[in-house]
Amino acid sequence: MDDRKEVLPLRVVAARFINADEEIGLAELDRITADASRAIQKRYWIWTSSFMMTALVTAGAVLIGGALTVGKAPGADLATLIGLGGAALMIAIGASWRVFQYGGMKARSPQSPVYADQSDLAVRNLERLFVILQLESTSRPFYYSRNGARRYVDHRYFFGKLRAAHVAKDNTIRSAFFGPVGLWFDRELFLEADVDKLIADAKAEPNRAGAPKKYDYTDAVISLIEHPEVQAIDITKKRGNQTRIIELLEDWYDGRRREVPSRTQLSSYAKQILETIEKNRSSKS
């Protein structure tokens, strides 16, 4: 084995792609996988509920049909047809989840992930890792079987929309994951590789800054520069303007699923924004 190669959990490799500080990278990774989990939670709940209800109806129809057939009672054929229809519907529901993940019954090409925000540097770096893993020529990740043997996975496992599941901290999101072959796949994956070389090959740019700011006021404020409601503010109107600016800042944080600062914290920025607008408009008059 090459001296520079390490055997690491795939989520640790992903964390290093995201940030030079592994712990910060792991925290960012947990944020991304939480976004992915939220994106599929409702859809998966509807899918599982539909599947279970159909399964119950099918089982009931089969049992009733069997009992009617044995008793030579009328209605056996109808119950059997309902059971067959339910079985076909179960297969269709199961297939729909695979199609959602891979764009078809087979994983033929990479799909757009459900969690991707291309303006997010952490997401871009994570996707660069997946692009490398999607190549057939890349070292294949593996999981450990019960007897400790390595079981390598195909590169197509990283084609699906839910590929963030492979680097989630626990199997909560992985429990919804279909492998490209077979059914549910919730194993923790590992990779043996020279991570630095992998990062270079992927042209990833891990963040080398410290811990991310809890509140990114700069981006929030900049986002309002061209906002139509800000441009339409009547600066002579003293009441309501500051409250509306605070609401727009809150919307910015909510839209990015970030923790929203308190109104007290936002009020000073809203006041500065209004003062800047007033100065700029005065200079133009």
Side-chain angles (χ1 to χ4, degrees), residues 3 27 30 32 40 42 67 81 89 101 116 123 160 162-163 174 196 222 233 268 274:
D3 290 339
D30 288 342
I32 293 169
I40 70 168
K42 182 178 179 180
L81 285 174
L89 185 57
Q101 281 187 236
V123 168
L162 311 184
R163 50 183 172 265
R174 293 200 300 270
D196 290 338
I222 289 174
I233 280 179
S268 62
L274 289 171

PDB file of all heavy atoms in Angstrom, residues 3 27 30 32 40 42 67 81 89 101 116 123 160 162-163 174 196 222 233 268 274:
ATOM      1  N   ASP A   3       2.380   4.651   0.930  1.00  0.00           N
ATOM      2  CA  ASP A   3       2.495   5.247   2.263  1.00  0.00           C
ATOM      3  C   ASP A   3       1.547   6.421   2.457  1.00  0.00           C
ATOM      4  O   ASP A   3       1.194   6.764   3.587  1.00  0.00           O
ATOM      5  CB  ASP A   3       3.938   5.701   2.503  1.00  0.00           C
ATOM      6  CG  ASP A   3       4.891   4.521   2.673  1.00  0.00           C
ATOM      7  OD1 ASP A   3       4.412   3.417   2.994  1.00  0.00           O
ATOM      8  OD2 ASP A   3       6.098   4.723   2.475  1.00  0.00           O
ATOM      9  N   ALA A  27     -18.722  19.352  10.532  1.00  0.00           N
ATOM     10  CA  ALA A  27     -19.879  20.159  10.921  1.00  0.00           C
ATOM     11  C   ALA A  27     -20.633  20.663   9.686  1.00  0.00           C
ATOM     12  O   ALA A  27     -21.869  20.643   9.638  1.00  0.00           O
ATOM     13  CB  ALA A  27     -19.430  21.337  11.783  1.00  0.00           C
ATOM     14  N   ASP A  30     -22.531  17.783   8.129  1.00  0.00           N
ATOM     15  CA  ASP A  30     -23.779  17.489   8.844  1.00  0.00           C
ATOM     16  C   ASP A  30     -24.873  18.469   8.435  1.00  0.00           C
ATOM     17  O   ASP A  30     -26.047  18.096   8.340  1.00  0.00           O
ATOM     18  CB  ASP A  30     -23.546  17.559  10.354  1.00  0.00           C
ATOM     19  CG  ASP A  30     -22.725  16.383  10.870  1.00  0.00           C
ATOM     20  OD1 ASP A  30     -22.627  15.376  10.156  1.00  0.00           O
ATOM     21  OD2 ASP A  30     -22.170  16.488  11.979  1.00  0.00           O
ATOM     22  N   ILE A  32     -25.162  19.917   5.467  1.00  0.00           N
ATOM     23  CA  ILE A  32     -25.582  19.557   4.110  1.00  0.00           C
ATOM     24  C   ILE A  32     -26.480  18.330   4.132  1.00  0.00           C
ATOM     25  O   ILE A  32     -27.516  18.283   3.465  1.00  0.00           O
ATOM     26  CB  ILE A  32     -24.355  19.319   3.214  1.00  0.00           C
ATOM     27  CG1 ILE A  32     -23.589  20.632   3.009  1.00  0.00           C
ATOM     28  CG2 ILE A  32     -24.776  18.755   1.861  1.00  0.00           C
ATOM     29  CD1 ILE A  32     -22.233  20.437   2.362  1.00  0.00           C
ATOM     30  N   ILE A  40     -36.008  15.155   1.363  1.00  0.00           N
ATOM     31  CA  ILE A  40     -36.654  13.899   0.973  1.00  0.00           C
ATOM     32  C   ILE A  40     -37.653  13.399   2.001  1.00  0.00           C
ATOM     33  O   ILE A  40     -38.414  12.469   1.711  1.00  0.00           O
ATOM     34  CB  ILE A  40     -35.619  12.788   0.723  1.00  0.00           C
ATOM     35  CG1 ILE A  40     -34.972  12.343   2.042  1.00  0.00           C
ATOM     36  CG2 ILE A  40     -34.588  13.208  -0.291  1.00  0.00           C
ATOM     37  CD1 ILE A  40     -34.167  11.076   1.920  1.00  0.00           C
ATOM     38  N   LYS A  42     -40.539  14.423   3.443  1.00  0.00           N
ATOM     39  CA  LYS A  42     -41.961  14.408   3.115  1.00  0.00           C
ATOM     40  C   LYS A  42     -42.242  13.454   1.959  1.00  0.00           C
ATOM     41  O   LYS A  42     -43.183  12.658   2.011  1.00  0.00           O
ATOM     42  CB  LYS A  42     -42.426  15.819   2.750  1.00  0.00           C
ATOM     43  CG  LYS A  42     -43.912  15.907   2.437  1.00  0.00           C
ATOM     44  CD  LYS A  42     -44.323  17.339   2.133  1.00  0.00           C
ATOM     45  CE  LYS A  42     -45.802  17.424   1.804  1.00  0.00           C
ATOM     46  NZ  LYS A  42     -46.212  18.832   1.507  1.00  0.00           N
ATOM     47  N   ALA A  67     -60.047 -17.444   0.838  1.00  0.00           N
ATOM     48  CA  ALA A  67     -61.139 -18.000   1.644  1.00  0.00           C
ATOM     49  C   ALA A  67     -62.380 -18.238   0.789  1.00  0.00           C
ATOM     50  O   ALA A  67     -63.061 -19.276   0.921  1.00  0.00           O
ATOM     51  CB  ALA A  67     -61.464 -17.043   2.786  1.00  0.00           C
ATOM     52  N   LEU A  81     -58.645 -10.570  -8.478  1.00  0.00           N
ATOM     53  CA  LEU A  81     -58.249  -9.495  -9.386  1.00  0.00           C
ATOM     54  C   LEU A  81     -57.773  -8.272  -8.606  1.00  0.00           C
ATOM     55  O   LEU A  81     -56.792  -7.614  -8.984  1.00  0.00           O
ATOM     56  CB  LEU A  81     -59.422  -9.112 -10.292  1.00  0.00           C
ATOM     57  CG  LEU A  81     -59.747 -10.092 -11.426  1.00  0.00           C
ATOM     58  CD1 LEU A  81     -61.025  -9.670 -12.147  1.00  0.00           C
ATOM     59  CD2 LEU A  81     -58.583 -10.160 -12.410  1.00  0.00           C
ATOM     60  N   LEU A  89     -49.588  -2.633  -8.367  1.00  0.00           N
ATOM     61  CA  LEU A  89     -49.428  -1.261  -7.897  1.00  0.00           C
ATOM     62  C   LEU A  89     -48.252  -1.145  -6.927  1.00  0.00           C
ATOM     63  O   LEU A  89     -47.505  -0.169  -6.951  1.00  0.00           O
ATOM     64  CB  LEU A  89     -50.715  -0.794  -7.217  1.00  0.00           C
ATOM     65  CG  LEU A  89     -50.767   0.675  -6.765  1.00  0.00           C
ATOM     66  CD1 LEU A  89     -50.517   1.611  -7.946  1.00  0.00           C
ATOM     67  CD2 LEU A  89     -52.115   0.984  -6.129  1.00  0.00           C
ATOM     68  N   GLN A 101     -34.746   8.396  -7.697  1.00  0.00           N
ATOM     69  CA  GLN A 101     -33.332   8.464  -7.347  1.00  0.00           C
ATOM     70  C   GLN A 101     -32.413   8.517  -8.556  1.00  0.00           C
ATOM     71  O   GLN A 101     -31.483   9.319  -8.599  1.00  0.00           O
ATOM     72  CB  GLN A 101     -32.934   7.234  -6.524  1.00  0.00           C
ATOM     73  CG  GLN A 101     -33.344   7.304  -5.074  1.00  0.00           C
ATOM     74  CD  GLN A 101     -32.776   6.144  -4.292  1.00  0.00           C
ATOM     75  OE1 GLN A 101     -33.503   5.411  -3.661  1.00  0.00           O
ATOM     76  NE2 GLN A 101     -31.493   5.981  -4.331  1.00  0.00           N
ATOM     77  N   ALA A 116     -28.566  20.249  -3.550  1.00  0.00           N
ATOM     78  CA  ALA A 116     -27.494  21.096  -4.089  1.00  0.00           C
ATOM     79  C   ALA A 116     -27.871  22.574  -4.111  1.00  0.00           C
ATOM     80  O   ALA A 116     -28.918  22.965  -4.596  1.00  0.00           O
ATOM     81  CB  ALA A 116     -27.123  20.647  -5.495  1.00  0.00           C
ATOM     82  N   VAL A 123     -20.987  22.683  -0.591  1.00  0.00           N
ATOM     83  CA  VAL A 123     -21.710  21.788  -1.498  1.00  0.00           C
ATOM     84  C   VAL A 123     -20.910  21.556  -2.775  1.00  0.00           C
ATOM     85  O   VAL A 123     -20.813  20.427  -3.273  1.00  0.00           O
ATOM     86  CB  VAL A 123     -23.108  22.349  -1.829  1.00  0.00           C
ATOM     87  CG1 VAL A 123     -23.746  21.581  -2.982  1.00  0.00           C
ATOM     88  CG2 VAL A 123     -24.007  22.292  -0.603  1.00  0.00           C
ATOM     89  N   GLY A 160     -27.052   8.692  -7.897  1.00  0.00           N
ATOM     90  CA  GLY A 160     -28.391   9.032  -7.436  1.00  0.00           C
ATOM     91  C   GLY A 160     -28.541  10.414  -6.836  1.00  0.00           C
ATOM     92  O   GLY A 160     -27.587  11.033  -6.379  1.00  0.00           O
ATOM     93  N   LEU A 162     -29.828  11.073  -4.107  1.00  0.00           N
ATOM     94  CA  LEU A 162     -29.683  10.996  -2.647  1.00  0.00           C
ATOM     95  C   LEU A 162     -28.275  10.605  -2.233  1.00  0.00           C
ATOM     96  O   LEU A 162     -28.067  10.071  -1.144  1.00  0.00           O
ATOM     97  CB  LEU A 162     -30.685   9.981  -2.076  1.00  0.00           C
ATOM     98  CG  LEU A 162     -32.132  10.113  -2.530  1.00  0.00           C
ATOM     99  CD1 LEU A 162     -33.007   9.100  -1.808  1.00  0.00           C
ATOM    100  CD2 LEU A 162     -32.654  11.521  -2.300  1.00  0.00           C
ATOM    101  N   ARG A 163     -27.272  10.897  -3.066  1.00  0.00           N
ATOM    102  CA  ARG A 163     -25.917  10.425  -2.777  1.00  0.00           C
ATOM    103  C   ARG A 163     -25.325  11.015  -1.500  1.00  0.00           C
ATOM    104  O   ARG A 163     -24.377  10.458  -0.940  1.00  0.00           O
ATOM    105  CB  ARG A 163     -24.980  10.699  -3.952  1.00  0.00           C
ATOM    106  CG  ARG A 163     -24.978  12.116  -4.505  1.00  0.00           C
ATOM    107  CD  ARG A 163     -24.049  12.197  -5.717  1.00  0.00           C
ATOM    108  NE  ARG A 163     -24.124  13.465  -6.412  1.00  0.00           N
ATOM    109  CZ  ARG A 163     -24.908  13.699  -7.477  1.00  0.00           C
ATOM    110  NH1 ARG A 163     -25.703  12.741  -7.924  1.00  0.00           N
ATOM    111  NH2 ARG A 163     -24.902  14.870  -8.082  1.00  0.00           N
ATOM    112  N   ARG A 174     -29.904   7.322   5.020  1.00  0.00           N
ATOM    113  CA  ARG A 174     -29.564   6.148   4.206  1.00  0.00           C
ATOM    114  C   ARG A 174     -30.678   5.113   4.180  1.00  0.00           C
ATOM    115  O   ARG A 174     -30.752   4.298   3.270  1.00  0.00           O
ATOM    116  CB  ARG A 174     -28.271   5.506   4.724  1.00  0.00           C
ATOM    117  CG  ARG A 174     -27.034   6.355   4.533  1.00  0.00           C
ATOM    118  CD  ARG A 174     -25.762   5.519   4.603  1.00  0.00           C
ATOM    119  NE  ARG A 174     -25.588   4.840   5.868  1.00  0.00           N
ATOM    120  CZ  ARG A 174     -24.955   5.353   6.922  1.00  0.00           C
ATOM    121  NH1 ARG A 174     -24.471   6.591   6.848  1.00  0.00           N
ATOM    122  NH2 ARG A 174     -24.817   4.674   8.032  1.00  0.00           N
ATOM    123  N   ASP A 196      -5.157  13.843  -0.277  1.00  0.00           N
ATOM    124  CA  ASP A 196      -4.626  15.082  -0.848  1.00  0.00           C
ATOM    125  C   ASP A 196      -4.582  15.002  -2.373  1.00  0.00           C
ATOM    126  O   ASP A 196      -4.915  15.966  -3.069  1.00  0.00           O
ATOM    127  CB  ASP A 196      -3.223  15.362  -0.303  1.00  0.00           C
ATOM    128  CG  ASP A 196      -3.250  15.757   1.167  1.00  0.00           C
ATOM    129  OD1 ASP A 196      -4.314  16.217   1.629  1.00  0.00           O
ATOM    130  OD2 ASP A 196      -2.223  15.599   1.859  1.00  0.00           O
ATOM    131  N   ILE A 222     -25.783  42.533   1.892  1.00  0.00           N
ATOM    132  CA  ILE A 222     -25.515  42.704   0.460  1.00  0.00           C
ATOM    133  C   ILE A 222     -26.699  42.219  -0.375  1.00  0.00           C
ATOM    134  O   ILE A 222     -27.010  42.795  -1.430  1.00  0.00           O
ATOM    135  CB  ILE A 222     -24.224  41.952   0.062  1.00  0.00           C
ATOM    136  CG1 ILE A 222     -23.000  42.681   0.646  1.00  0.00           C
ATOM    137  CG2 ILE A 222     -24.104  41.825  -1.455  1.00  0.00           C
ATOM    138  CD1 ILE A 222     -21.699  41.953   0.427  1.00  0.00           C
ATOM    139  N   ILE A 233     -38.438  51.946  -0.885  1.00  0.00           N
ATOM    140  CA  ILE A 233     -38.673  52.519   0.441  1.00  0.00           C
ATOM    141  C   ILE A 233     -38.785  54.043   0.371  1.00  0.00           C
ATOM    142  O   ILE A 233     -37.971  54.709  -0.287  1.00  0.00           O
ATOM    143  CB  ILE A 233     -37.539  52.110   1.414  1.00  0.00           C
ATOM    144  CG1 ILE A 233     -37.791  50.682   1.914  1.00  0.00           C
ATOM    145  CG2 ILE A 233     -37.445  53.065   2.599  1.00  0.00           C
ATOM    146  CD1 ILE A 233     -36.715  50.173   2.848  1.00  0.00           C
ATOM    147  N   SER A 268     -29.906  46.926  14.508  1.00  0.00           N
ATOM    148  CA  SER A 268     -28.798  47.874  14.275  1.00  0.00           C
ATOM    149  C   SER A 268     -28.385  47.864  12.810  1.00  0.00           C
ATOM    150  O   SER A 268     -28.064  48.918  12.239  1.00  0.00           O
ATOM    151  CB  SER A 268     -27.603  47.524  15.163  1.00  0.00           C
ATOM    152  OG  SER A 268     -27.106  46.232  14.849  1.00  0.00           O
ATOM    153  N   LEU A 274     -30.864  51.868   6.460  1.00  0.00           N
ATOM    154  CA  LEU A 274     -31.723  53.023   6.214  1.00  0.00           C
ATOM    155  C   LEU A 274     -30.920  54.318   6.195  1.00  0.00           C
ATOM    156  O   LEU A 274     -31.176  55.207   5.361  1.00  0.00           O
ATOM    157  CB  LEU A 274     -32.808  53.092   7.288  1.00  0.00           C
ATOM    158  CG  LEU A 274     -33.885  52.003   7.192  1.00  0.00           C
ATOM    159  CD1 LEU A 274     -34.786  52.022   8.428  1.00  0.00           C
ATOM    160  CD2 LEU A 274     -34.710  52.168   5.925  1.00  0.00           C
TER     161      LEU A 274
END
